């Protein structure tokens, strides 16, 4: 429950009492997932303490450590911190400047770019991702010629997500040259002619020439071209069809899986909800239509779900569970917002209840039960009380499964009530609407 407690405390604007800072930093040291929220609650004193204790040096190395917002106000201090600071302090500074003004942050990065280590250049590039702007294009185009292959690949990936970038246009021309519609067929059919070579221009734009083991060269090159091409261009390429209509078109010569997998990666990279929606299809489809996620596909439905708005994502997963149960839904549940919105929470509980009535092994669902304890809305505790009773075991059920299920539901209800208590105790007291009193 600690991640949720920290998130709630930060949400109310609390700060950690100074006497508890060592324990808070120890907890963050042991669990990297706690670090951003723990350090936010600790505040600027975490940096001061970290300089006094080697065990807390992770605060200075990053991992969500607090930036120094005052640095941006003093150009001299900015330059000193950039040239002399620890790497994590430099990343935090660059991130803070980029959030204020992407151009200003980039100008600072350029001053030392040529002398940075390859691994640092890569991480600096990655820090531009969330604040990417059209003004970054000339710098990223130059990075396509970087001596580090990983830096070149990251620069190409970032450029492919910039609408209107020259690289995106180049990749679109290449991809469209290899994927077209045969309009003589009725209905139209998508025809694929994969590249026969990976020339120097393709390699400079981020296409890796050597495929992984088990992949053919031509399909590997094609997938990279399609993944980097702007998705909007395909609607024009296919006579104004919508993404859903394009996805529904038949693909000749067994290229459907390769093509759709590349479109899925493009939808995730470009955060295109319309294409993600089309490629996911109806929630019932993945188990019923072998072409949606066929064997051997690299498609990741969970990543596609992250592109959808949170409420739509929860509805899709709820309908998926209602149609297919929980066996393939664990990772999908992990990307849904907490607490789970209805009908997702109800769908999970109903599926667990059905599994119990069917005599399934309760320990087969321990992972979902653990997620439910952390993610169900605490308000559901009272209506779940009825599930804590020991039921008659159906014929063929695992011996003792009724008792195991009862204990699992009791633990679920107990944890939900604990979370409700935690939430209520963190709520600002009467007369303190801002919730900033130390507690």
């Amino acid at each position: 429950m600690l991640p949720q407690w920290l998130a709630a405390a930060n949400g109310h604007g609390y700060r950690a009492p100074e006497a508890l800072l060592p324990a808070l930093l120890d907890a963050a040291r042991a669990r990297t997932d706690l670090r951003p929220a723990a350090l936010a609650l600790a505040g600027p004193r975490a940096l001061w303490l970290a300089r006094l204790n080697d065990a807390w040096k992770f605060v200075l190395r990053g991992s969500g450590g607090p930036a120094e917002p005052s640095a941006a106000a003093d150009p001299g201090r900015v330059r000193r911190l950039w040239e002399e600071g620890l790497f994590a302090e430099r990343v935090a500074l660059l991130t803070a400047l980029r959030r204020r003004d992407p151009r200003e942050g980039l100008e600072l990065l350029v001053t030392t770019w040529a002398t940075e280590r390859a691994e640092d250049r890569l991480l600096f590039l990655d820090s531009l991702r969330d604040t990417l702007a059209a003004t970054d294009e000339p710098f990223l185009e130059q990075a396509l010629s970087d001596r580090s292959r990983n830096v070149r690949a990251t620069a190409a990936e970032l450029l492919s997500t910039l609408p209107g970038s020259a690289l995106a246009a180049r990749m679109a021309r290449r991809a469209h040259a290899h994927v077209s519609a045969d309009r003589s067929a009725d209905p139209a059919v998508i025809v694929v002619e994969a590249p026969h070579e990976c020339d120097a221009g393709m390699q400079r734009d981020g296409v890796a020439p050597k495929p992984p083991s088990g992949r053919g060269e031509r399909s590997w090159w094609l997938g990279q071209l399609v993944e980097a091409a702007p998705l909007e261009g395909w609607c024009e390429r296919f006579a104004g069809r919508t993404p859903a209509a394009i996805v529904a078109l038949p693909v000749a010569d067994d290229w459907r899986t390769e093509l759709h997998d590349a479109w899925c990666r493009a939808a995730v990279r470009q955060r295109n909800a319309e294409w993600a929606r089309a490629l996911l299809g109806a929630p019932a489809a993945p188990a019923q239509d072998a072409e949606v996620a066929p064997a051997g596909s690299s498609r990741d439905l969970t990543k596609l779900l992250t592109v959808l708005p949170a409420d739509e994502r929860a509805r899709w997963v709820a309908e998926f569970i209602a149609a297919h149960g929980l066996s393939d839904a664990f990772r999908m549940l992990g990307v849904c917002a907490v607490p789970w919105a209805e009908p997702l929470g109800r769908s999970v509980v109903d599926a667990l209840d059905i599994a119990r009535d069917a005599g399934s092994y309760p320990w087969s669902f321990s992972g979902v039960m653990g997620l439910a304890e952390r993610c169900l809305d605490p308000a559901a505790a009272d209506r779940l009380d009825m599930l804590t009773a020991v039921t008659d075991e159906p014929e063929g059920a695992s011996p003792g499964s009724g008792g195991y299920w009862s204990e699992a539901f009791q633990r679920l209800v107990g944890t939900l009530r604990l979370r409700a208590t935690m939430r209520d105790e963190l709520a600002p007291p009467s007369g303190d609407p801002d919730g900033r009193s130390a507690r």
Side-chain angles (χ1 to χ4, degrees), residues 138-398:
F139 170 75
L140 293 173
E141 275 283 345
Q142 290 183 357
L144 291 176
S145 301
D146 194 272
R147 55 188 180 274
S148 165
R149 179 176 59 84
N150 290 333
V151 170
R152 295 195 301 270
T154 301
E157 180 189 349
L158 293 176
L159 281 167
S160 72
T161 65
L162 267 180
S165 72
L167 180 138
R170 294 194 296 269
M171 298 303 264
R173 286 194 296 272
R174 293 175 180 126
H176 294 178
H178 297 288
V179 181
S180 60
D182 180 2
R183 296 184 177 86
S184 64
D186 187 20
V189 175
I190 297 178
V191 178
V192 174
E193 177 63 33
H196 289 276
E197 65 172 339
C198 183
D199 59 34
M202 290 168 60
Q203 293 182 46
R204 183 179 185 274
D205 284 346
V207 178
K210 186 175 181 179
S213 177
R215 289 289 301 274
E217 284 186 334
R218 296 180 65 199
S219 63
W220 171 243
W221 300 332
L222 175 77
Q224 293 178 83
L225 295 180
V226 173
E227 179 181 354
L231 287 164
E232 291 80 0
W234 294 109
C235 297
E236 181 179 353
R237 179 67 172 159
F238 291 107
R241 287 180 172 88
T242 65
I246 294 172
V247 169
L249 289 174
V251 183
D253 301 326
D254 297 323
W255 281 103
R256 179 184 174 95
T257 297
E258 191 70 49
L259 182 61
H260 281 214
D261 285 2
W263 276 336
C264 286
R265 295 192 299 273
V268 173
R269 177 187 290 193
Q270 299 171 35
R271 312 307 294 172
N272 190 307
E274 187 178 8
W275 272 88
R277 200 173 289 122
L279 290 158
L280 280 166
Q288 296 177 358
D289 182 355
E291 288 187 320
V292 174
S297 171
S298 63
R299 202 164 314 160
D300 191 331
L301 299 184
T302 299
K303 288 184 178 179
L304 277 176
L305 283 169
T306 65
V307 180
L308 300 182
D311 56 345
E312 183 180 355
R313 190 186 317 159
R315 288 195 303 273
W316 197 97
V317 177
E319 293 178 27
F320 180 92
I321 291 171
H324 311 301
L326 292 164
S327 58
D328 295 320
F330 183 77
R331 290 184 63 241
M332 297 179 188
L333 287 169
V335 299
C336 292
V338 178
W340 289 336
E342 296 295 351
L344 177 57
R346 188 177 297 276
S347 181
V348 171
V349 172
D350 288 347
L352 288 169
D353 195 20
I354 290 171
R356 177 182 65 169
D357 290 344
S360 299
Y361 292 101
W363 42 89
S364 299
F365 297 90
S366 58
V368 175
M369 273 290 190
L371 274 179
E373 289 182 40
R374 297 190 298 274
C375 303
L376 272 176
D377 191 330
D382 289 342
R383 65 179 172 84
L384 295 181
D385 258 337
M386 67 180 68
L387 299 178
T388 62
V390 178
T391 60
D392 294 335
E393 296 172 6
E395 185 177 351
S398 173

Side-chain angles (χ1 to χ4, degrees), residues 405-417:
W405 277 109
S406 174
E407 290 176 9
F409 280 118
Q410 287 176 30
R411 185 170 56 252
L412 172 59
V413 171
T415 304
L416 293 179
R417 287 181 172 147

